Amino acid sequence: LVKGIARGASIYRETGNAVEGLATGLGVTFEESVWAVINTCELVSRGAMAVATSRPARYLGGKIGSALRAAKLGHDRPLSVRPDVSRS
């Protein structure tokens, strides 16, 4: 934003054309904003990838996966039925 304002102001001072200065300033501001979004996305994706592939994350993921598989296998088995014990 600051670069766009500075660039637009310098164009206006040089040429005296307000429309050209405004257009140049907006163009620079837009371009800098796009670059900021791209850099932020890259930083977030690299950080997420680093966290996902870290040893603690892989360890916890393996434990959670094992627990879910065990729960699924345990859920598929029928409940054991206790034999009816009559009291006589």
Side-chain angles (χ1 to χ4, degrees):
L1 182 62
V2 175
K3 285 183 180 181
I5 292 171
R7 182 71 178 141
S10 70
I11 293 292
Y12 176 68
R13 273 187 246 117
E14 290 173 7
T15 63
N17 188 349
V19 176
E20 185 182 350
L22 179 64
T24 303
L26 288 175
V28 170
T29 301
F30 178 75
E31 183 181 346
E32 292 295 324
S33 298
V34 168
W35 278 112
V37 168
I38 289 171
N39 289 337
T40 302
C41 290
E42 183 181 3
L43 182 66
V44 168
S45 65
R46 284 186 182 192
M49 191 59 92
V51 168
T53 58
S54 69
R55 290 184 74 138
R58 287 185 290 151
Y59 174 77
L60 288 175
K63 291 297 181 186
I64 292 171
S66 297
L68 290 175
R69 281 190 296 275
K72 183 181 176 189
L73 290 176
H75 180 69
D76 290 344
R77 285 188 239 143
L79 295 173
S80 60
V81 179
R82 291 178 47 186
D84 188 24
V85 178
S86 60
R87 298 181 187 192
S88 27

